[in-house]
Each structure stands twice: as structure tokens, then as C-alpha cells.
Amino acid sequence: MNPTLRRLSRDPKALIGFTILLVATLSAIFAPMLFPRDPWAMATRPFLPPFEDPEFWLGTDMLGRDIFAGLAYRARMSLIVGLASTVAAVVIGIVIGALAGYFGGWIDDVLMRVTEFFQTIPTFVFALLMVAILSPSMLSIIIAICIVSWPPVARLVRSEVASLRNRDFVRAATVLGESHGRIIVAQILPNTLSPVIAMASLMVASAILTEAAISFLGLGDPNRMSWGYMIGASRTVIRQAWWMSFFPGLVILLVVLALNLLGEALNDAFNPRLARRGRR
Amino acid sequence: MSAPLLSIEGLTVALPGGGERAHAVRDVSLTLARGEVLCIVGESGSGKSITASAVMNLLPSDQLRITSGRVRYEGEDLLTLSERRMRRLRGDRISMIFQEPMTSLNPVATIGVQIEQVLEAHGVPARERAGRVQELVRAVGLPDPESIVKRYPFRLSGGQRQRVMIAMALAMEPDILIADEPTTALDVTTQAQILGLIRDLQRDRGMGVLFITHDFGVVADIADRVAVMQNGEVVETGPIERVLGAPEHPYTKKLIGAVPRFRETQADESRDAPILSVRGLTKIYRSGGLVRGVREVRAVDGVSFDIRRGETLGLVGESGSGKSTIGQCLLRIASVDAGEVRFDGQDIAHATGRALFDYRTRAQMVFQDPFASLNPRHTIGRSILAGPLAHKVPRPEAERRMARLLERVGLDAGAATRYPHEFSGGQRQRIGIARALAVEPDLLVADEAVSALDVSVQAQVLELLREIRDEFDLAMLFITHDLRVASNICDRVVVLHRGKIVEQGPVTEVFSRPAHAYTQELLGAVPGRSWHGDPQQGATPTHPIPVQQGATT
């Protein structure tokens, strides 16, 4: 087995993170089977507190909808937004970072100034503004989160590529007549992926948080509720029905924690020496 | 000799499980007398540095555990001392200097402060410290003591930093100095000065010095006694004259046989027309910009030379002489600012597009660091095939070439599916050579291609390069800082100093009758000259002890 995977499988942080994520993903996928009832439909009396009715363990909201079912269904929105926006941001970041780091000179200057332009705008306000302009929908939320989160990836990839491009094996490839494109894709990028993957798992976490915050403020996709939307909708009744915002909040906390644990474990697995703080 | 100052008895250090060896160091027993320099010599992985660190109780205990043995100093076993007692001894009675002068000083403190900290740590009263710092700085021969103590490490040269390290080590007038490859990272002329300094200070103060090195030349210059280590064990110890002159253990014989020596006979000169001719090559590095104004460094300044087929031209010089830059300019990894590089009649200094692409099949490079020159994520096969495939050689033909080359450089065909980390340094260097040859070049540039290798491996790779040059009728440019290696493999040499050629000619002539003062200085600084022959005096050893030849198997 690949040594990185082996180290990962032995790391308790990775196991905890992975288990939580697996549960969240499976419940998102199998929600219709677990809760055949329509999550939007009224199931029983409104404001049912948790742990009273065994059929509705986590209680119901002000319209009598099952919160447990809601959490399972809404995991989809949160996870899809988190993943899709991160994948898009990583792709943009890698392309811009690789070009800037590899070619240097004025290309680097131009691309990095653009990157800094995006970085200087407060991310959350920027994302909110974009969702407002694009009209709230899942796609616009994904786009907004992607646009505010690619710059750190670009900077990371740029610095990695810039240090790799003067390595002897890259020089050797140049001397052998390989094209710039091939050198970037085949020689350099595979060597930069480990920190990017570790960073990406943290980005999914922050994307979920950003989405939750956008939905909380009422700019979420009205047709696809998310965890953040549930909290936002319940905030007016928080004094009467704490459970309506507490459980979605707890789920967000767990998933974000899981992603952070996984990210840290990935980082350790890719840099075993740093993690153990040992000398060679 | 009186009772030993330091004695290591049956020291064994275990390696963490799963490695190829159970012990980093096994049953090592050595003694060091007052006023003596004991050299521990061995190749990488021989356990010489671990032995030194064990004496200082500096081993990372979670990875390297001392399983048995004693280190006696003044009747006490250092291995059982408490960390507090040990700390008091370190830097006071026993001190240590390291290989890398660039990283062993704190970059954000002036050197005066750093030397003073040693005195402070060992309880020297504040009013005495400044005077002591001045004394020490003077003793290690640093220029301008009053102002140099106020400087930060980055303003000092490598040799000066190593002098600062020595000043810090000597601050408390220790009984024992442990020097772990202290001159390996330095240029030869600087190395000669530092070795002289250590020898002088040791004599003045009657210290015992435990000197770790891989270089038999350095051993010949500094040691009183020698211990040879192999795979964690001491295989031979004895006075220097005996070990160098009449080694007993086969491994010692093999190591000594592998040390490159100055060659006496001149090779036949190639009579072909030059395949590469360089005229007035100039490379300027510019730094700074709008605010500070542009600073120019002429890394290569009007260099001209020719190389013929079947000939090896050496490019020798110290760091900063521009030798590597020339190699990079010839292969167009670095741009050329002025001058002409004619390859087979065509100027390639400014070639682009198709012409440059075609040139890539004709000139190739072997790099210095066998660990950095192969992509860690590509199999050996992929690395070797990349060149031919980029040049549209059909895959079956490329694979046939690869199989032939792997066999030629002494690796089995199964190597192609494995990754670089599965190979040793010497094997990787062979892979690097196979990769370069895969596009069937006419010119091979070897940039310090054997500098990172152990001597015995170095000798094999040099032999391989020589054979390949003859077999493929290559023109070879061999860039090196090591004059002994250059003398061994080159037919002609170019001596560079600060980007300019100071001398060039047939290797035996330049090395036996150097005309330029700088060449003379370089040759004078080669370690162990008295032992393995002085080319300026007809290549006969002036040392009274006959050099053991043979045993080069």
C-alpha cells in the first residue's frame, strides 16, 4: 500500500474525520430511504421538543416538519456547495498559480496583482454581494464562494512551482526538450499536490460555513434548504425552540471539525517528518 | 602516551526497526589522548557522525537509542550523566563544530552577541566577556575584530562563519573539540586555512580533537591517528603513517585506492575539429530595480574554449567562479548575454524554436545531486523515456534504447519500473547518465557529477563516464571543484576565477606547471598533497611513506 495512505489509516484524527464525513455523505445520499416523507411537508404538531416522540427524535419546527429528516436532506446542499466550490477554486488556483510560478517575470506580476486584488476584498462581504447580484441560487452561491476562495490556492501553488522549477529534474526535462506544458503538468504539478489537497479539505469546511452564513442571512437558494437556512429560519424563535437552530448548528460544527481533522491528518501524512518533529 | 582524555568503550546504538541494519553503530571502542587529533573516516552511513553525537549525548533518543557502551571522560560515564550535568560540560569541557556554517549560526544575532552567549551560559562574569570575545575573534584570525563582532552572519563568508563557530567552540577552552566535517562545505583554499587554524589551536591549547571526515586528503593533513569506520563498525585504527601507508583491512585498502590522485601521463590529444566552440561567452546577473538601482554581477565574463569529440574538458574553480553558469548557458537553461556558442558550426547561443529543440538531442547534462535530479514521482523508465519520446522516437525503439542503456550503466532491466527512492546515490547517478544518453547526444556536460558521491562510488562513476565517452565518441565538459577528480578524468582543463579564465591547457601541464598565481594557490590548497603526490614536483609523493597502490577492485 502507498505509504501516505498507510500513515493516514493509522491516524486517529483521519479516522474520526473520515467517519463523520461518511455518515454525513451517506445520510445525504440515502435520505429519501431513511425518511420517505417529504421533508417540506408537515409531519406532526409544530414546536415538538426533541426526545419526546420516538418518531421525531430531534423535534419539529414551527411548521411541524421533522428536523432530523431536514438535517439529512439538507446535507446535500451543504456538501454539494462545499465540494463544488472547492473543486472550482482549486482548479482556478492551480492554473493561475502554475502559470505565475513557472513563467515568472511579467506574467507572474500580472497574475499575482490580480490575485491580490481578490484577496484584499473581505471575502464574506464579497461573496454576499455576488450572491445578491446573481440572484440567490445554488449555482450562484457556488460561484461566489469559488471566486472568493481561489487566491490562497494560487499563491500556494505559485510558491511551490517557483521553488520546483529550478530543481534539477525540471532542468533535466528542459534539456531533454520536453515542452513547457508537459513539464508543468507531468513534472511539476504532481509534486505540488500534497499541500493543495490538505488545503482543499480545509476549504470545503470554510465553504460550508460561508454557505451557512449566506443562507442564515436569507440569501440562500429558497428552493433548496441548507443547514444554514434552517438556523436562519429558526432564529426568530430561538427562545421558545432552541432545538430548531441547535441541531443544524451542531451538524455544521461536526462536519467542519471532521474536515479540519482530515485536513490536518492529510498534512501530517504528506509530511511525516514535520508531524513527528523528529530529526532524520 | 598518558591515560586517555576520552574513551569510548563498546558503544552500540540501535536503529529503529525495519531498516536494513539493526545498529547505527556497533561495538565501537576508541580513545582520544590529550593533544591528539583522532580522525574518524568513513563513507556516508558508516556511523561516524552518530558516534560523535553520542559523545555529546545529542542523539534523538526517540529514534536512536544507545543500547550499550560507555563514554568515559575524567572518570565519569557521559552517557549516564543527568541532562543538567551534561549541559554544563557541553561547550565548556567538550565542544563541537558542525559542517554547515550557513545554518549553524543564528541569523538575527550579531556574531559578538553569539560568542558572548556561550560565555554567559557558562557563568563568565559580564565585565570580562567583551574582552574575551575580542581575544577569541583574534585567535581564530577574523579580520578587523572590533567591527566584525557587530556584524550579522549573512555579511560573513562561509570560511569566516566557520571561524566564528570555532571561536564559540573554544570560548571556554575545552579539553575536547569534536569537529563533524567542518570543512566539507568550504572551498579548497578556505578549507586549507581552516584546517591549519584547527591544527594550530589544537597545538597551542593541547586539546584533544575528534575530527570526522570522509576525505582521506583531509585525514592526511590533520590526523595523528585514524579510525576507519564501515557500516557502523570500526574496522581499523592506528597512527596515520601506518593506516595511510600500509593499510591492513581490505575496506581501508579499497577506500584509499579509490581516492582520486593526480595523473602523471597525458592522454593522446584529439585531433578532430572542435564540435563546440565558445567565444567571449558572458552572463550578467542583474538585481535590484527602480528604487535601489540595478546591480550587475558578471558571473561569466568573456570566456572562450573549444571541445572536440572524444575529449574531456575540465572546468575547474571555486564557488562563484561561474563554472556551473557556463554549463547552464551551453545547455540554454540560462540565457546568454553576449558571445558565441558554436555547436557543429551553428550558433546556438540565441537559437529558438526548432533549432533549439533539435539541439536538445545533441547536448545533454548529468547533474550534481542524484537525489534532486530525478522526479520522485516518476518511475525510472518514465524518466529515461521522456527524452526520446519528446523527440518523437517511436516507443518500441525508445524502450530498446532504454534497456540497452540500463544494462550499459550497470543496472538490471527491472529498474525501469521502480522509483528513485529505491536506489542509492551512485545508482541514481547511473540512471541520470542513462537518461542523458537516451537521446544519443554528442556533447555531455557533467556538472559536479561525482561531488555528492562517496569516494568508492565516485571512482566507479568516473570510470563509467570515461568508458561512455570513448564508446559513444562524446565530447565531455566536466565541471568540478575537485582538482584531483579533474586531473583524473580530464584531458584539458580551464581554470576559472570570478567568471574569467585564468589558465587553460592540457591537464598534466596545467597541474604540474601552473603559470597563474591563482592556479598555484588552488593546487597548494588541495588536501593531502604531501600524501598522494604533488603534481608540481613530478607527481612523486614527498611523504616518506610509500603509497599503497592497487586494491582498486
Side-chain angles (χ1 to χ4, degrees):
Chain A
M1 194 161 73
N2 181 315
T4 308
L5 278 179
R6 198 182 320 134
R7 276 195 296 272
L8 207 55
S9 66
R10 286 201 200 122
D11 189 339
K13 286 191 300 241
L15 290 180
I16 296 172
F18 186 72
T19 313
I20 296 176
L21 284 180
L22 194 69
V23 171
T25 315
L26 289 179
S27 60
I29 295 173
F30 296 110
M33 277 156 242
L34 296 170
F35 306 97
R37 233 186 329 244
D38 180 1
W40 296 82
M42 185 166 176
T44 181
R45 75 173 174 87
F47 292 103
L48 175 72
F51 313 120
E52 282 187 2
D53 186 339
E55 213 182 316
F56 306 101
W57 263 116
L58 302 182
T60 59
D61 66 6
M62 56 285 227
L63 294 174
R65 298 178 292 203
D66 183 1
I67 290 187
F68 205 161
L71 286 178
Y73 277 94
R74 274 129 216 182
R76 289 182 183 181
M77 173 71 180
S78 292
L79 292 178
I80 288 175
V81 169
L83 274 179
S85 61
T86 300
V87 168
V90 165
V91 170
I92 296 177
I94 285 181
V95 170
I96 291 185
L99 292 176
Y102 185 80
F103 290 105
W106 66 267
I107 297 181
D108 184 25
D109 282 341
V110 170
L111 290 176
M112 281 302 109
R113 292 306 85 79
V114 172
T115 310
E116 279 158 15
F117 170 77
F118 279 93
Q119 266 194 316
T120 48
I121 304 173
T123 52
F124 184 64
V125 178
F126 191 25
L128 213 55
L129 185 72
M130 262 187 305
V131 175
I133 294 172
L134 295 173
S135 79
S137 74
M138 184 164 88
L139 187 65
S140 66
I141 293 177
I142 292 174
I143 292 173
I145 295 178
C146 161
I147 284 178
V148 298
S149 49
W150 65 267
V153 184
R155 297 186 66 100
L156 174 73
V157 172
R158 172 188 172 269
S159 69
E160 292 276 318
V161 170
S163 83
L164 283 164
R165 83 161 262 91
N166 286 322
R167 293 283 178 83
D168 281 351
F169 70 83
V170 176
R171 286 191 170 148
T174 311
V175 171
L176 285 167
E178 288 193 61
S179 65
H180 293 310
R182 265 202 75 74
I183 290 177
I184 294 176
V185 173
Q187 303 276 0
I188 296 181
L189 282 184
N191 285 294
T192 65
L193 281 190
S194 3
V196 174
I197 290 172
M199 188 184 217
S201 80
L202 300 179
M203 284 168 63
V204 176
S206 71
I208 289 176
L209 281 178
T210 310
E211 188 277 333
I214 292 173
S215 299
F216 175 83
L217 292 177
L219 279 169
D221 190 333
N223 302 316
R224 298 168 198 257
M225 273 200 263
S226 70
W227 294 331
Y229 187 91
M230 289 171 83
I231 302 176
S234 331
R235 75 176 191 280
T236 48
V237 292
I238 195 161
R239 287 155 73 105
Q240 300 99 301
W242 57 271
W243 62 90
M244 282 164 55
S245 35
F246 175 79
F247 290 112
L250 186 68
V251 173
I252 293 177
L253 173 81
L254 284 177
V255 169
V256 169
L257 178 72
L259 283 161
N260 276 289
L261 286 174
L262 197 63
E264 206 170 295
L266 280 168
N267 217 354
D268 291 354
F270 288 130
N271 300 305
R273 283 204 192 99
L274 276 177
R276 263 187 261 125
R277 285 172 222 280
R279 280 171 289 182
R280 269 202 299 164
Chain B
M1 231 175 277
S2 56
L5 185 60
L6 180 83
S7 69
I8 302 172
E9 296 162 13
L11 180 73
T12 300
V13 178
L15 278 173
E20 50 203 81
R21 258 176 28 206
H23 300 283
V25 167
R26 215 172 100 108
D27 200 19
V28 164
S29 297
L30 293 168
T31 58
L32 177 69
R34 197 171 282 280
E36 167 185 73
V37 179
L38 171 66
C39 267
I40 303 182
V41 61
E43 297 188 295
S44 48
S46 62
K48 54 191 193 301
S49 287
I50 289 178
T51 307
S53 296
V55 172
M56 289 295 263
N57 221 332
L58 284 175
L59 292 177
S61 54
D62 54 329
Q63 287 164 55
L64 292 166
R65 215 163 33 83
I66 297 172
T67 49
S68 65
R70 275 191 295 252
V71 177
R72 281 184 190 281
Y73 168 73
E74 289 189 337
E76 281 183 301
D77 182 1
L78 297 184
L79 300 181
T80 59
L81 279 189
S82 71
E83 180 57 29
R84 247 188 76 214
R85 294 280 310 280
M86 194 63 217
R87 213 155 47 218
R88 218 173 301 151
L89 279 181
R90 279 188 209 130
D92 184 14
R93 304 321 321 144
I94 307 176
S95 54
M96 191 158 182
I97 50 180
F98 302 91
Q99 171 171 350
E100 211 35 86
M102 299 295 161
T103 53
S104 40
L105 287 171
N106 181 350
V108 294
T110 62
I111 61 158
V113 167
Q114 296 190 53
I115 299 174
E116 208 177 312
Q117 276 166 355
V118 179
L119 298 170
E120 192 186 341
H122 293 283
V124 174
R127 64 197 133 72
E128 289 176 27
R129 285 183 217 146
R132 288 277 288 278
V133 169
Q134 284 298 315
E135 256 170 59
L136 285 163
V137 168
R138 242 178 272 274
V140 296
L142 281 166
D144 202 1
E146 277 83 21
S147 70
I148 205 165
V149 293
K150 299 193 190 88
R151 294 211 186 142
Y152 288 90
F154 74 91
R155 292 185 55 191
L156 272 56
S157 70
Q160 287 175 334
R161 289 181 212 208
Q162 203 56 293
R163 284 174 195 265
V164 173
M165 284 305 296
I166 294 173
M168 287 166 72
L170 296 184
M172 300 305 297
E173 310 209 329
D175 293 329
I176 300 169
L177 176 68
I178 300 174
D180 190 355
E181 302 261 12
T183 58
T184 307
L186 305 175
D187 279 329
V188 271
T189 48
T190 320
Q191 165 169 288
Q193 291 162 8
I194 296 288
L195 288 178
L197 175 69
I198 292 177
R199 190 81 228 194
D200 289 347
L201 291 168
Q202 178 265 337
R203 275 201 199 110
D204 292 351
R205 298 169 186 230
M207 285 185 299
V209 176
L210 192 62
F211 195 103
I212 318 286
T213 182
H214 67 282
D215 187 335
F216 268 99
V218 171
V219 173
D221 280 354
I222 197 164
D224 295 314
R225 281 195 313 129
V226 188
V228 183
M229 285 188 75
Q230 178 193 20
N231 297 333
E233 292 177 44
V234 173
V235 296
E236 185 162 358
T237 46
I240 176 162
E241 293 83 7
R242 219 240 335 108
V243 175
L244 290 190
E248 281 161 8
H249 194 276
Y251 179 70
T252 316
K253 288 183 187 166
K254 184 182 142 204
L255 271 188
I256 292 177
V259 173
R261 277 156 229 278
F262 283 103
R263 194 167 53 165
E264 295 162 40
T265 49
Q266 178 60 40
D268 309 331
E269 249 186 80
S270 170
R271 291 279 162 233
D272 296 355
I275 187 160
L276 181 82
S277 59
V278 177
R279 292 290 172 268
L281 180 69
T282 300
K283 170 79 190 170
I284 301 167
Y285 284 112
R286 291 183 178 85
S287 61
L290 292 173
V291 191
R292 285 180 298 158
V294 180
R295 253 190 53 199
E296 283 191 356
V297 178
R298 288 185 166 254
V300 180
D301 194 357
V303 164
S304 306
F305 56 83
D306 293 330
I307 310 180
R308 295 170 176 79
R309 275 184 183 281
E311 171 189 65
T312 305
L313 177 73
L315 227 47
V316 300
E318 297 188 294
S319 49
S321 63
K323 57 190 191 303
S324 285
T325 309
I326 293 176
Q328 289 172 14
C329 286
L330 296 189
L331 284 166
R332 292 291 309 276
I333 314 175
S335 61
V336 175
D337 287 319
E340 205 173 66
V341 178
R342 286 203 169 272
F343 182 84
D344 223 358
Q346 276 189 316
D347 187 12
I348 56 95
H350 304 283
T352 51
R354 189 76 217 172
L356 180 60
F357 185 68
D358 289 340
Y359 175 63
R360 297 278 185 222
T361 65
R362 306 200 59 189
Q364 278 302 315
M365 188 154 193
V366 178
F367 294 85
Q368 168 171 7
D369 185 351
F371 292 86
S373 61
L374 292 168
N375 190 333
R377 290 180 188 268
H378 288 184
T379 59
I380 300 313
R382 188 166 170 198
S383 285
I384 296 178
L385 290 175
L389 293 181
H391 290 279
K392 307 282 179 286
V393 174
R395 185 167 265 276
E397 158 66 13
E399 279 171 0
R400 266 196 301 279
R401 265 191 213 173
M402 175 176 76
R404 211 167 52 226
L405 285 168
L406 279 176
E407 196 196 326
R408 182 61 198 85
V409 299
L411 293 165
D412 61 277
T417 57
R418 288 153 65 193
Y419 286 88
H421 67 89
E422 299 173 57
F423 296 90
S424 68
Q427 286 172 323
R428 290 187 207 201
Q429 212 53 315
R430 289 167 188 273
I431 294 164
I433 293 170
R435 173 178 63 188
L437 294 177
V439 294
E440 308 190 326
D442 300 304
L443 168 70
L444 193 63
V445 175
D447 186 0
E448 299 278 10
V450 298
S451 307
L453 306 176
D454 281 328
V455 272
S456 55
V457 183
Q458 194 176 56
Q460 293 162 6
V461 172
L462 281 177
E463 189 53 40
L464 176 66
L465 283 171
R466 204 190 330 262
E467 288 167 13
I468 276 169
R469 182 200 68 192
D470 294 342
E471 244 172 83
F472 297 82
D473 200 22
L474 295 175
M476 192 150 86
L477 182 69
F478 196 91
I479 301 169
T480 183
H481 69 281
D482 191 331
L483 299 191
R484 295 169 292 181
V485 169
S487 152
N488 231 268
I489 190 162
C490 301
D491 304 312
R492 289 187 304 121
V493 280
V494 170
V495 183
L496 286 159
H497 184 50
R498 297 199 180 150
K500 288 196 168 100
I501 293 181
V502 297
E503 190 164 358
Q504 68 173 312
V507 68
T508 40
E509 209 171 295
V510 171
F511 286 178
S512 59
R513 285 182 296 279
H516 195 277
Y518 178 70
T519 318
Q520 290 163 3
E521 190 191 341
L522 268 187
L523 282 161
V526 170
R529 252 163 27 114
S530 55
W531 166 56
H532 52 48
D534 184 344
Q536 293 181 61
Q537 293 174 18
T540 40
T542 53
H543 206 272
I545 282 77
V547 175
Q548 178 98 7
Q549 293 287 355
T552 37
T553 44

